[in-house]
Amino acid sequence: REKQLLRAADQCRLLLDDNEIESDIRTGFIMMGDMNLHYISEDGVVGKCETVDAYAETHFASDQDNNDGYTFDAKGNSMIKRYIPGEKRKMRLDRILVSQGSPFYFVSPCEMWANEAVDVRREIYISDHYGLFVDIQLDKDADLRENSEVAAKLMKNSQMPLEIFEFSKLDFAVKLVPHSFWLLSRAFGLN
């Protein structure tokens, strides 16, 4: 994923350079969505792309709430266990990355949405991922830069070894039995 994100950021910069308009307003770009960053150690790609991670920037500094921002949470989103029996991971798969030096600033902290069931009884969420949103303001005098404390945390994360997620065949088989009954009840409209 790192190579793909670096290439996407480079392509955004090339597009901006190729289409530079004679103006006193600088340009920037925003990349957002499911980045499939499964490991904490992949946080290092943010700095390599010369971008600012909106969630990290508005939550990870010492004077902020330090919420991890997991957009994929098998414990919190009960829908996940319905299609991946035995899944236990928490990951920050989804990101909003804004180019450094761009004329933007964050009006408010980046927040999650769709992180509650839309049908509590049947444990149905909008998605297996929670969404992210942030209000960003354009200001020709702004010069978006990453917080050095947040950048240090993301860089420290990038030095971590890959997490190992144990997922045995036995555990999968044990989880598959009730999962099969759930699927059958859904197929016959009982749930």
Side-chain angles (χ1 to χ4, degrees):
R1 277 298 176 194
E2 181 176 315
K3 288 179 184 177
Q4 291 169 321
L5 285 172
L6 288 167
R7 181 147 174 102
D10 287 343
Q11 291 297 315
C12 288
R13 283 188 192 83
L14 284 172
L15 285 170
L16 291 174
D17 290 345
D18 288 349
N19 297 306
E20 194 66 38
I21 300 169
E22 289 298 319
S23 164
D24 61 347
I25 298 177
R26 287 173 291 109
T27 56
F29 63 87
I30 301 169
M31 297 189 302
M32 62 182 115
D34 180 356
M35 307 283 177
N36 274 335
L37 299 174
H38 288 89
Y39 301 98
I40 293 171
S41 63
E42 292 177 305
D43 279 350
V45 74
V46 174
K48 290 177 183 176
C49 287
E50 298 177 33
T51 56
V52 174
D53 180 325
Y55 196 91
E57 197 67 21
T58 60
H59 289 274
F60 288 4
S62 58
D63 62 341
Q64 296 166 338
D65 66 10
N66 281 293
N67 183 303
D68 290 321
Y70 297 122
T71 60
F72 182 95
D73 181 355
K75 186 176 180 183
N77 186 337
S78 54
M79 193 169 89
I80 294 170
K81 68 183 177 189
R82 300 296 187 209
Y83 73 94
I84 311 175
E87 178 65 82
K88 299 174 186 167
R89 294 179 290 177
K90 292 182 176 185
M91 301 175 278
R92 290 186 63 227
L93 298 178
D94 305 86
R95 308 288 175 108
I96 298 175
L97 304 177
V98 184
S99 59
Q100 288 193 46
S102 60
F104 303 120
Y105 68 91
F106 301 119
V107 175
S108 58
C110 186
E111 299 295 336
M112 285 190 208
W113 68 279
N115 55 342
E116 295 179 6
V118 293
D119 184 334
V120 176
R121 184 182 66 77
R122 295 189 305 162
E123 300 179 318
I124 296 175
Y125 286 71
I126 289 177
S127 173
D128 59 330
H129 296 213
Y130 304 142
L132 294 175
F133 70 92
V134 67
D135 287 329
I136 298 174
Q137 183 73 40
L138 174 65
D139 180 344
K140 67 181 179 94
D141 297 322
D143 185 21
L144 183 66
R145 299 288 169 188
E146 61 188 348
N147 174 310
S148 58
E149 181 184 358
V150 173
K153 181 174 181 171
L154 295 178
M155 186 53 67
K156 182 179 176 187
N157 287 352
S158 75
Q159 308 300 317
M160 295 177 69
L162 294 179
E163 301 96 318
I164 297 173
F165 299 106
E166 297 288 329
F167 197 77
S168 71
K169 291 178 183 176
L170 176 63
D171 187 34
F172 180 74
V174 168
K175 303 285 185 189
L176 191 57
V177 172
H179 178 71
S180 298
F181 285 111
W182 177 82
L183 282 174
L184 285 170
S185 69
R186 295 283 301 176
F188 291 107
L190 302 174
N191 189 5

